[in-house]
Amino acid sequence: MKKMYIAITVILIQIMILSGCKPYRENWIYGKTSIEIEERYGKFDFTYGEPDEQGLYRLCRCSYIATPAKKGYFGTTPATYFVIAFDGSGVAVLCEYVQEGA
């Protein structure tokens, strides 16, 4: 019986840890160019600027949909976006999760 309680506790702890996992790694993204980021995570879902002749996004923001909006019985859960800001040299200087409507 004691082993069952330990097993259930371990499973619950793993669920809590894994539910907090984020699909994008901020520490890896800082200092990378938009080309390197797109190679790892795919094309951006939204871009607020145009790439230059080298394909780099400079002085703009690009974003991915981290979690889409969900419609449920009690209402709608807003979407969450992962937004990345690039400086003049095309390097990521800011990234953050932003909830729709916030």
Side-chain angles (χ1 to χ4, degrees), residues 1 5 13 28 31 36-37 42 46 48 56 60 65 78-79 86:
M1 190 68 158
Y5 287 125
I13 290 172
W28 182 86
E36 294 170 309
I37 295 168
F46 301 101
Y48 308 98
L56 292 174
C60 68
I65 299 173
F86 297 97

Side-chain angles (χ1 to χ4, degrees), residues 56-74:
L56 292 174
Y57 288 94
R58 299 173 191 266
L59 295 174
C60 68
R61 292 177 179 241
C62 301
S63 62
Y64 291 105
I65 299 173
T67 55
K70 296 178 187 172
K71 292 185 180 180
Y73 184 72
F74 294 109

Side-chain angles (χ1 to χ4, degrees), residues 5-101:
Y5 287 125
I6 292 172
I8 291 172
T9 304
V10 169
I11 290 170
L12 290 174
I13 290 172
Q14 288 177 343
I15 289 171
M16 288 187 297
I17 290 171
L18 292 177
S19 67
C21 290
K22 297 179 180 178
Y24 304 103
R25 300 283 179 220
E26 294 99 332
N27 291 340
W28 182 86
I29 289 174
Y30 285 116
K32 300 288 192 283
T33 65
S34 58
I35 294 172
E36 294 170 309
I37 295 168
E38 285 186 319
E39 285 174 357
R40 182 167 182 169
Y41 294 114
K43 296 292 268 180
F44 293 112
D45 294 320
F46 301 101
T47 57
Y48 308 98
E50 296 294 323
D52 63 9
E53 60 278 349
Q54 298 171 343
L56 292 174
Y57 288 94
R58 299 173 191 266
L59 295 174
C60 68
R61 292 177 179 241
C62 301
S63 62
Y64 291 105
I65 299 173
T67 55
K70 296 178 187 172
K71 292 185 180 180
Y73 184 72
F74 294 109
T76 302
T77 303
T80 303
Y81 301 97
F82 184 71
V83 181
I84 305 166
F86 297 97
D87 66 5
S89 61
V91 174
V93 294
L94 172 81
C95 51
E96 62 184 347
Y97 285 90
V98 177
Q99 193 168 32
E100 184 177 40

